[in-house]
Short mmCIF file of all heavy atoms in Angstrom, two decimals:
data_model
loop_
_atom_site.label_atom_id
_atom_site.label_comp_id
_atom_site.label_asym_id
_atom_site.label_seq_id
_atom_site.Cartn_x
_atom_site.Cartn_y
_atom_site.Cartn_z
N LEU A 470 3.32 -4.07 11.14
CA LEU A 470 1.86 -3.94 10.91
C LEU A 470 1.02 -5.01 11.35
O LEU A 470 -0.19 -4.90 11.40
CB LEU A 470 1.62 -3.65 9.45
CG LEU A 470 2.32 -2.28 8.98
CD1 LEU A 470 2.30 -2.20 7.52
CD2 LEU A 470 1.71 -1.08 9.54
N ASP A 471 1.69 -6.12 11.69
CA ASP A 471 0.86 -7.29 12.07
C ASP A 471 0.12 -6.98 13.47
O ASP A 471 -1.07 -7.21 13.67
CB ASP A 471 1.75 -8.59 12.38
CG ASP A 471 2.12 -9.20 11.08
OD1 ASP A 471 1.25 -9.29 10.15
OD2 ASP A 471 3.25 -9.56 10.91
N SER A 472 0.84 -6.46 14.50
CA SER A 472 0.31 -6.23 15.69
C SER A 472 0.63 -4.96 16.37
O SER A 472 0.41 -4.69 17.56
CB SER A 472 0.68 -7.42 16.64
OG SER A 472 2.17 -7.59 16.48
N ALA A 473 1.29 -3.99 15.60
CA ALA A 473 1.74 -2.68 16.12
C ALA A 473 2.24 -2.72 17.47
O ALA A 473 1.78 -1.95 18.31
CB ALA A 473 0.52 -1.83 16.12
N GLY A 474 3.19 -3.58 17.77
CA GLY A 474 3.80 -3.73 19.12
C GLY A 474 4.41 -2.50 19.70
O GLY A 474 4.38 -2.18 20.83
N TYR A 475 4.75 -1.61 18.74
CA TYR A 475 5.34 -0.27 19.10
C TYR A 475 4.31 0.53 19.91
O TYR A 475 4.60 1.33 20.90
CB TYR A 475 5.86 0.59 18.06
CG TYR A 475 4.95 0.71 16.92
CD1 TYR A 475 3.96 1.85 16.94
CD2 TYR A 475 4.82 -0.12 15.85
CE1 TYR A 475 3.08 2.06 15.93
CE2 TYR A 475 3.99 -0.13 14.80
CZ TYR A 475 3.03 0.99 14.90
OH TYR A 475 2.03 1.09 13.87
N ALA A 476 3.07 0.43 19.59
CA ALA A 476 2.01 1.14 20.36
C ALA A 476 1.72 0.46 21.69
O ALA A 476 1.44 1.25 22.67
CB ALA A 476 0.65 0.99 19.54
N ILE A 477 1.92 -0.80 21.85
CA ILE A 477 1.98 -1.50 23.15
C ILE A 477 3.00 -0.99 24.04
O ILE A 477 2.87 -0.66 25.18
CB ILE A 477 1.87 -3.03 23.01
CG1 ILE A 477 0.63 -3.44 22.12
CG2 ILE A 477 1.84 -3.77 24.39
CD1 ILE A 477 0.67 -4.83 21.71
N ASP A 478 4.28 -0.94 23.43
CA ASP A 478 5.44 -0.40 24.08
C ASP A 478 5.16 1.08 24.60
O ASP A 478 5.69 1.36 25.74
CB ASP A 478 6.68 -0.41 23.20
CG ASP A 478 7.07 -1.86 22.94
OD1 ASP A 478 6.79 -2.68 23.76
OD2 ASP A 478 7.69 -2.08 21.85
N LYS A 479 4.49 1.82 23.74
CA LYS A 479 4.19 3.24 24.17
C LYS A 479 3.38 3.28 25.45
O LYS A 479 3.63 4.08 26.37
CB LYS A 479 3.53 3.90 22.93
CG LYS A 479 3.58 5.42 23.03
CD LYS A 479 3.02 5.93 21.72
CE LYS A 479 2.61 7.41 22.04
NZ LYS A 479 1.79 7.93 20.85
N GLU A 480 2.37 2.30 25.49
CA GLU A 480 1.51 2.28 26.75
C GLU A 480 2.36 1.83 27.82
O GLU A 480 2.30 2.28 28.90
CB GLU A 480 0.34 1.22 26.50
CG GLU A 480 -0.82 1.65 25.93
CD GLU A 480 -1.80 0.47 25.84
OE1 GLU A 480 -2.54 0.18 26.89
OE2 GLU A 480 -1.90 -0.28 24.86
N ALA A 481 3.29 0.78 27.64
CA ALA A 481 4.16 0.28 28.62
C ALA A 481 5.20 1.24 29.27
O ALA A 481 5.80 1.12 30.20
CB ALA A 481 4.90 -0.90 28.08
N MET A 482 5.36 2.39 28.51
CA MET A 482 6.21 3.43 29.02
C MET A 482 5.64 4.14 30.27
O MET A 482 6.36 4.66 31.03
CB MET A 482 6.59 4.42 27.95
CG MET A 482 7.65 3.83 26.83
SD MET A 482 7.65 4.89 25.41
CE MET A 482 8.66 6.30 26.01
N ILE A 483 4.33 4.09 30.29
CA ILE A 483 3.67 4.74 31.40
C ILE A 483 3.10 3.78 32.43
O ILE A 483 3.15 4.07 33.64
CB ILE A 483 2.40 5.58 30.86
CG1 ILE A 483 2.73 6.22 29.56
CG2 ILE A 483 2.11 6.69 31.92
CD1 ILE A 483 1.54 6.69 28.79
N LYS A 484 2.76 2.63 31.87
CA LYS A 484 2.12 1.59 32.81
C LYS A 484 2.90 0.32 32.60
O LYS A 484 3.05 -0.09 31.36
CB LYS A 484 0.71 1.54 32.34
CG LYS A 484 -0.14 0.74 33.14
CD LYS A 484 -1.60 0.76 32.59
CE LYS A 484 -2.44 -0.38 33.33
NZ LYS A 484 -3.05 -1.29 32.38
N SER A 485 3.24 -0.35 33.55
CA SER A 485 4.03 -1.52 33.31
C SER A 485 3.14 -2.69 33.03
O SER A 485 2.12 -2.89 33.74
CB SER A 485 5.09 -1.84 34.43
OG SER A 485 4.34 -2.54 35.47
N PHE A 486 3.49 -3.67 32.11
CA PHE A 486 2.71 -4.75 31.71
C PHE A 486 3.59 -5.96 32.13
O PHE A 486 4.74 -6.06 32.06
CB PHE A 486 2.45 -4.87 30.30
CG PHE A 486 1.52 -3.75 29.80
CD1 PHE A 486 1.91 -3.11 28.56
CD2 PHE A 486 0.42 -3.39 30.49
CE1 PHE A 486 1.06 -2.05 28.04
CE2 PHE A 486 -0.42 -2.36 29.94
CZ PHE A 486 -0.07 -1.69 28.77
N ASN A 487 2.86 -7.10 32.60
CA ASN A 487 3.55 -8.34 32.80
C ASN A 487 3.59 -9.10 31.44
O ASN A 487 3.13 -8.76 30.46
CB ASN A 487 2.90 -9.12 34.00
CG ASN A 487 1.50 -9.58 33.68
OD1 ASN A 487 1.16 -9.67 32.55
ND2 ASN A 487 0.70 -9.62 34.68
N GLU A 488 4.27 -10.19 31.55
CA GLU A 488 4.47 -11.06 30.36
C GLU A 488 3.20 -11.43 29.66
O GLU A 488 2.95 -11.37 28.49
CB GLU A 488 5.18 -12.55 30.65
CG GLU A 488 6.55 -12.16 31.34
CD GLU A 488 6.59 -12.14 32.78
OE1 GLU A 488 5.49 -11.69 33.42
OE2 GLU A 488 7.64 -12.44 33.41
N GLU A 489 2.17 -11.88 30.51
CA GLU A 489 0.87 -12.27 30.06
C GLU A 489 0.20 -11.21 29.30
O GLU A 489 -0.39 -11.33 28.22
CB GLU A 489 0.09 -12.74 31.23
CG GLU A 489 -1.32 -13.31 30.93
CD GLU A 489 -1.39 -14.52 30.15
OE1 GLU A 489 -0.62 -15.43 30.42
OE2 GLU A 489 -2.31 -14.78 29.30
N GLU A 490 0.32 -9.90 29.92
CA GLU A 490 -0.42 -8.81 29.26
C GLU A 490 0.21 -8.43 27.91
O GLU A 490 -0.43 -8.10 26.97
CB GLU A 490 -0.32 -7.59 30.22
CG GLU A 490 -1.32 -7.76 31.42
CD GLU A 490 -1.00 -6.74 32.46
OE1 GLU A 490 0.15 -6.51 32.77
OE2 GLU A 490 -2.03 -6.24 33.11
N PHE A 491 1.56 -8.46 27.79
CA PHE A 491 2.16 -8.30 26.44
C PHE A 491 1.62 -9.17 25.47
O PHE A 491 1.22 -8.86 24.32
CB PHE A 491 3.64 -8.36 26.64
CG PHE A 491 4.38 -7.13 26.90
CD1 PHE A 491 5.07 -6.88 28.14
CD2 PHE A 491 4.48 -6.01 25.96
CE1 PHE A 491 5.53 -5.71 28.44
CE2 PHE A 491 5.11 -4.88 26.22
CZ PHE A 491 5.73 -4.65 27.50
N ALA A 492 1.68 -10.56 25.84
CA ALA A 492 1.26 -11.62 24.85
C ALA A 492 -0.19 -11.36 24.45
O ALA A 492 -0.54 -11.42 23.23
CB ALA A 492 1.42 -13.00 25.58
N GLU A 493 -1.01 -11.12 25.44
CA GLU A 493 -2.48 -10.92 25.17
C GLU A 493 -2.76 -9.72 24.22
O GLU A 493 -3.45 -9.88 23.39
CB GLU A 493 -3.11 -10.57 26.56
CG GLU A 493 -4.53 -10.41 26.54
CD GLU A 493 -5.35 -11.67 26.86
OE1 GLU A 493 -4.76 -12.68 27.41
OE2 GLU A 493 -6.52 -11.76 26.56
N LYS A 494 -1.99 -8.66 24.49
CA LYS A 494 -2.24 -7.42 23.75
C LYS A 494 -1.76 -7.69 22.29
O LYS A 494 -2.43 -7.26 21.33
CB LYS A 494 -1.52 -6.19 24.28
CG LYS A 494 -2.24 -5.53 25.54
CD LYS A 494 -1.44 -4.50 26.15
CE LYS A 494 -2.13 -3.90 27.32
NZ LYS A 494 -3.35 -3.06 26.95
N LEU A 495 -0.59 -8.29 22.06
CA LEU A 495 -0.07 -8.55 20.71
C LEU A 495 -1.09 -9.44 19.98
O LEU A 495 -1.36 -9.10 18.81
CB LEU A 495 1.26 -9.30 20.88
CG LEU A 495 2.48 -8.39 21.14
CD1 LEU A 495 3.65 -9.27 21.39
CD2 LEU A 495 2.75 -7.42 19.91
N ILE A 496 -1.56 -10.46 20.58
CA ILE A 496 -2.41 -11.39 19.86
C ILE A 496 -3.61 -10.84 19.59
O ILE A 496 -4.38 -10.90 18.50
CB ILE A 496 -2.52 -12.75 20.63
CG1 ILE A 496 -2.66 -13.92 19.59
CG2 ILE A 496 -3.64 -12.76 21.47
CD1 ILE A 496 -1.49 -14.57 19.27
N ASN A 497 -4.37 -10.07 20.47
CA ASN A 497 -5.60 -9.41 20.36
C ASN A 497 -5.55 -8.42 19.11
O ASN A 497 -6.45 -8.23 18.37
CB ASN A 497 -6.18 -8.75 21.46
CG ASN A 497 -6.60 -9.77 22.50
OD1 ASN A 497 -6.81 -10.93 22.21
ND2 ASN A 497 -6.87 -9.32 23.82
N GLU A 498 -4.41 -7.69 19.17
CA GLU A 498 -4.31 -6.69 18.03
C GLU A 498 -4.15 -7.35 16.67
O GLU A 498 -4.85 -6.95 15.69
CB GLU A 498 -3.08 -5.74 18.26
CG GLU A 498 -2.98 -4.56 17.27
CD GLU A 498 -4.03 -3.65 17.24
OE1 GLU A 498 -4.67 -3.38 18.32
OE2 GLU A 498 -4.24 -2.98 16.26
N GLU A 499 -3.47 -8.48 16.56
CA GLU A 499 -3.24 -9.10 15.35
C GLU A 499 -4.54 -9.81 14.84
O GLU A 499 -4.92 -9.73 13.68
CB GLU A 499 -2.10 -10.06 15.42
CG GLU A 499 -1.79 -10.72 13.97
CD GLU A 499 -0.51 -11.38 13.82
OE1 GLU A 499 0.32 -11.41 14.84
OE2 GLU A 499 -0.10 -11.92 12.69
N LEU A 500 -5.34 -10.28 15.85
CA LEU A 500 -6.59 -10.89 15.45
C LEU A 500 -7.63 -9.85 14.88
O LEU A 500 -8.19 -10.03 13.85
CB LEU A 500 -7.25 -11.57 16.76
CG LEU A 500 -6.59 -12.76 17.12
CD1 LEU A 500 -7.18 -13.36 18.56
CD2 LEU A 500 -6.75 -13.96 16.14
N TRP A 501 -7.67 -8.76 15.49
CA TRP A 501 -8.53 -7.64 15.13
C TRP A 501 -8.14 -7.16 13.70
O TRP A 501 -8.94 -6.86 12.85
CB TRP A 501 -8.63 -6.53 16.09
CG TRP A 501 -9.50 -5.36 15.62
CD1 TRP A 501 -9.12 -4.09 15.39
CD2 TRP A 501 -10.87 -5.41 15.30
NE1 TRP A 501 -10.13 -3.41 14.89
CE2 TRP A 501 -11.31 -4.19 14.85
CE3 TRP A 501 -11.77 -6.50 15.30
CZ2 TRP A 501 -12.63 -3.92 14.45
CZ3 TRP A 501 -13.19 -6.24 14.92
CH2 TRP A 501 -13.56 -4.90 14.51
N ARG A 502 -6.86 -7.08 13.49
CA ARG A 502 -6.39 -6.59 12.18
C ARG A 502 -6.67 -7.44 11.03
O ARG A 502 -6.61 -7.08 9.87
CB ARG A 502 -4.86 -6.26 12.31
CG ARG A 502 -4.56 -5.08 13.08
CD ARG A 502 -3.14 -4.64 13.03
NE ARG A 502 -2.95 -3.38 13.76
CZ ARG A 502 -2.15 -2.43 13.41
NH1 ARG A 502 -1.30 -2.64 12.48
NH2 ARG A 502 -2.09 -1.27 14.13
N GLN A 503 -7.07 -8.77 11.30
CA GLN A 503 -7.45 -9.63 10.19
C GLN A 503 -8.81 -9.09 9.64
O GLN A 503 -9.05 -9.17 8.41
CB GLN A 503 -7.73 -11.09 10.73
CG GLN A 503 -6.42 -11.75 11.44
CD GLN A 503 -5.17 -11.51 10.55
OE1 GLN A 503 -5.13 -11.61 9.33
NE2 GLN A 503 -4.07 -11.16 11.33
N ILE A 504 -9.63 -8.47 10.48
CA ILE A 504 -10.92 -8.07 10.10
C ILE A 504 -10.70 -6.74 9.23
O ILE A 504 -11.20 -6.62 8.13
CB ILE A 504 -11.84 -7.71 11.28
CG1 ILE A 504 -12.26 -9.02 11.99
CG2 ILE A 504 -13.14 -6.95 10.82
CD1 ILE A 504 -12.95 -9.95 11.09
N ILE A 505 -9.95 -5.80 9.74
CA ILE A 505 -9.69 -4.55 9.02
C ILE A 505 -9.05 -4.85 7.65
O ILE A 505 -9.38 -4.14 6.70
CB ILE A 505 -8.70 -3.70 9.97
CG1 ILE A 505 -9.30 -3.31 11.18
CG2 ILE A 505 -8.36 -2.45 9.08
CD1 ILE A 505 -8.58 -2.48 11.99
N SER A 506 -8.11 -5.81 7.52
CA SER A 506 -7.47 -6.14 6.21
C SER A 506 -8.30 -7.07 5.55
O SER A 506 -7.86 -7.57 4.47
CB SER A 506 -6.10 -6.58 6.53
OG SER A 506 -6.06 -7.79 7.30
N SER A 507 -9.47 -7.36 5.80
CA SER A 507 -10.52 -8.13 4.94
C SER A 507 -11.51 -7.23 4.47
O SER A 507 -12.36 -7.67 3.62
CB SER A 507 -11.17 -9.32 5.82
OG SER A 507 -10.15 -10.17 6.17
N LEU A 508 -11.55 -6.01 4.84
CA LEU A 508 -12.60 -5.21 4.48
C LEU A 508 -12.53 -4.26 3.15
O LEU A 508 -13.44 -4.06 2.60
CB LEU A 508 -13.03 -4.24 5.60
CG LEU A 508 -13.68 -4.85 6.83
CD1 LEU A 508 -13.57 -3.98 8.02
CD2 LEU A 508 -15.05 -5.33 6.60
N VAL A 509 -11.35 -3.70 2.57
CA VAL A 509 -9.98 -3.67 3.41
C VAL A 509 -9.85 -2.27 3.62
O VAL A 509 -9.58 -1.36 2.72
CB VAL A 509 -8.95 -4.10 2.37
CG1 VAL A 509 -7.61 -4.07 2.88
CG2 VAL A 509 -9.28 -5.52 1.77
#
Side-chain angles (χ1 to χ4, degrees):
Chain A
L470 296 169
D471 283 320
S472 49
Y475 52 89
I477 300 168
D478 292 333
K479 199 172 161 193
E480 275 184 81
M482 285 165 78
I483 323 164
K484 186 175 166 242
S485 82
F486 294 135
N487 62 29
E488 300 90 335
E489 179 71 35
E490 285 166 322
F491 268 110
E493 180 95 17
K494 280 175 182 288
L495 281 170
I496 212 94
N497 287 347
E498 184 65 25
E499 188 162 358
L500 287 172
W501 176 242
R502 286 184 175 218
Q503 305 312 317
I504 296 299
I505 297 186
S506 56
S507 295
L508 293 165
V509 178

